Amino acid sequence: ANDYAALAEEQIKNDSSYMVLGAALSLLTEADPKLARSYAKGLEKEKNNSIITTISALYAEVGTNEDHSFYTNNLTRVDGFGQIAFSANYAEYLVQDRPVRILNEATETFETALSSTGGLWFINFSIARSFKKVQSHYQKEAAQLEKELMKMEEAGERDTAKQGELQRLKMALDNMSAAIERIKNIEGLDRRVK
């Protein structure tokens, strides 16, 4: 793995080809994700779809809450088929137990991307599907939290921190549902996306 990491790092430092850079970053992600993340930080402003999508895949695996702005800044910037992979990676990033603040920002980001009716229907469909995946994940998490709280109540226990967490999560889910309803009402958006 160290040989691969060294080779990938050398290519990232010395090759200006986007194709080589993307492949090297992907290889480095497998060999040394933390090192790959540090290089990705320096490449976030690149305009190339392949680089941006590669970074989104890396952050989906090892991203932190700090990396969320990368997704919000790029979902509408990536174009064409790149949006399909990018939105799928964004969903994978989001289902890694992110705070409610990030879920609310993500809802706005997905809604903005889907409000752009100029996209091809199947790209918008993929973005909507990614958003629904996030919503579904957190619906299951909220249901699990409710079960835990009910068991605690039955045992005469109370956890106000978990109750607060559940309330915040339900508010984020309500925000997601409202965004989905607004998206359904956008004129010109292909019916297959709605």
Side-chain angles (χ1 to χ4, degrees):
N2 283 344
D3 291 340
Y4 289 128
L7 174 64
E9 192 173 8
E10 181 182 327
Q11 293 306 309
I12 290 170
K13 288 179 181 177
N14 299 320
D15 200 308
S16 62
S17 163
Y18 285 129
M19 193 168 143
V20 172
L21 191 57
L25 189 57
S26 292
L27 179 62
L28 189 57
T29 297
E30 291 180 30
D32 189 342
K34 286 184 180 182
L35 183 59
R37 190 172 175 277
S38 70
Y39 278 109
K41 281 290 175 198
L43 296 169
E44 284 185 359
K45 301 278 188 230
E46 289 292 334
K47 305 250 188 275
N48 181 274
N49 274 358
S50 178
I51 300 300
I52 297 301
T53 302
T54 300
I55 294 170
S56 74
L58 167 67
Y59 289 169
E61 286 183 40
V62 295
T64 66
N65 292 340
E66 298 171 0
D67 300 319
H68 186 247
S69 62
F70 168 79
Y71 289 101
T72 60
N73 292 334
N74 287 293
L75 181 58
T76 56
R77 199 176 90 183
V78 173
D79 59 4
F81 292 106
Q83 281 187 311
I84 295 171
F86 189 92
S87 65
N89 291 335
Y90 189 16
E92 285 301 317
Y93 166 84
L94 289 168
V95 299
Q96 307 289 325
D97 295 323
R98 301 296 171 195
V100 169
R101 172 190 58 82
I102 286 180
L103 297 181
N104 288 329
E105 290 171 6
T107 297
E108 186 177 321
T109 302
F110 275 111
E111 185 174 4
T112 299
L114 288 165
S115 296
S116 166
T117 57
L120 298 171
W121 78 266
F122 52 87
I123 292 174
N124 284 340
F125 178 80
S126 295
I127 294 170
R129 186 173 171 191
S130 294
F131 183 47
K132 290 289 285 178
K133 176 181 179 174
V134 174
Q135 182 188 36
S136 176
H137 171 83
Y138 285 100
Q139 285 171 333
K140 289 174 187 168
E141 189 172 297
Q144 182 62 36
L145 261 174
E146 279 183 322
K147 283 181 186 176
E148 289 175 23
L149 286 168
M150 285 175 62
K151 282 183 182 179
M152 291 177 79
E153 269 186 42
E154 289 170 1
E157 299 172 11
R158 190 174 174 106
D159 188 335
T160 55
K162 273 191 181 182
Q163 288 173 334
E165 182 183 344
L166 179 60
Q167 274 307 108
R168 288 186 297 277
L169 186 54
K170 283 183 172 184
M171 287 173 60
L173 287 166
D174 287 346
N175 186 28
M176 288 179 188
S177 294
I180 288 169
E181 287 307 309
R182 287 189 299 271
I183 290 163
K184 286 180 180 179
N185 292 318
I186 295 171
E187 285 209 28
L189 190 62
D190 191 287
R191 64 177 171 69
R192 292 170 281 202
V193 176
K194 297 178 181 189

